Amino acid sequence: MTTTRPVLYLFGSAAPPVFDVAAVVADAQGRGFEVCLGLTSTAARWLEPRKAGLERLTGHPVRSAYKMPGEPDVWPKADVIAVAPATFNTVNAWALGITREFVVGVVAEGIGKGIPMVAMPCVNAAYAQHRQFERSIADLRGMGVRVLYGDGGFVPNLPGRGKPEEYPWHLLLGAVEEIRGAQGEGRSS
């Protein structure tokens, strides 16, 4: 399975901005990426009525579960991985290496494989007060993940006051393009 376009794995968790993922896929494709979409199990349940359309849009199966041993990979290899919206649970599980969810397993392994990654959380201010969350953000950054959180990234809102339509997807895709540009520069030296 080869492609001439860079491959972006776009992974989403169950937070309201995930409902905009089709537009994000289309935007990434417009920026020259082949997109493979992965979802946490809850996000997959939320988007189940849209799954067939998302698969037509990406040209790949939407994945939310590990494949069975011996089954072939159905996606091309990733050039870059973006995780957004990344919920409190996803961020903490990833940083702690708790890989029950398919997308968390891929990104946890991706750190060891050296796949460039960017993540953008989507949590409210109450979750952000939990000290494990800040530790997890710091740990992911320490493992080389570009985390768009705080200044220049996602800023938490008060509980119940989220504005999913204002989730800064453009920052995520801009970071993906920067990472891909840096990869290209590294190859030409």
Side-chain angles (χ1 to χ4, degrees):
M1 194 179 309
T2 60
T3 180
T4 57
R5 295 179 296 156
V7 176
L8 167 64
Y9 285 7
L10 178 60
F11 290 160
S13 304
V18 81
F19 287 108
D20 296 326
V21 77
V24 178
V25 168
D27 190 355
Q29 290 170 328
R31 295 173 190 233
F33 288 90
E34 179 171 350
V35 181
C36 297
L37 180 62
L39 301 167
T40 62
S41 54
T42 302
R45 193 170 63 248
W46 287 8
L47 295 178
E48 181 60 34
R50 302 177 186 183
K51 183 178 177 183
L54 291 166
E55 289 180 341
R56 280 191 301 277
L57 179 62
T58 63
H60 299 286
V62 173
R63 295 194 55 199
S64 60
Y66 289 103
K67 66 182 184 68
M68 295 295 293
E71 285 183 345
D73 286 332
V74 294
W75 287 353
K77 296 210 179 299
D79 291 300
V80 62
I81 300 174
V83 184
T87 60
F88 178 82
N89 188 50
T90 295
V91 168
N92 289 324
W94 183 7
L96 294 169
I98 301 169
T99 60
R100 277 184 234 130
E101 291 281 351
F102 162 73
V103 298
V104 176
V106 173
V107 294
E109 185 178 33
I111 288 170
K113 290 181 172 181
I115 300 169
M117 287 183 259
V118 60
M120 190 162 58
C122 184
V123 298
N124 68 40
Y127 278 124
Q129 294 303 309
H130 193 290
R131 63 182 160 178
Q132 184 56 52
F133 185 72
E134 287 295 333
R135 288 181 193 143
S136 293
I137 295 290
D139 286 349
L140 290 173
R141 286 177 172 154
M143 289 183 260
V145 178
R146 183 171 175 185
V147 182
L148 304 174
Y149 179 72
D151 291 339
F154 178 79
V155 177
N157 48 271
L158 294 174
R161 301 248 175 100
K163 297 179 181 166
E165 68 282 358
E166 294 179 12
Y167 188 70
W169 286 109
H170 66 284
L171 296 176
L172 180 83
L173 293 178
V176 166
E177 285 182 313
E178 287 175 22
I179 289 169
R180 186 61 188 148
Q183 287 176 319
E185 290 168 14
R187 289 187 182 144
S188 62
S189 338

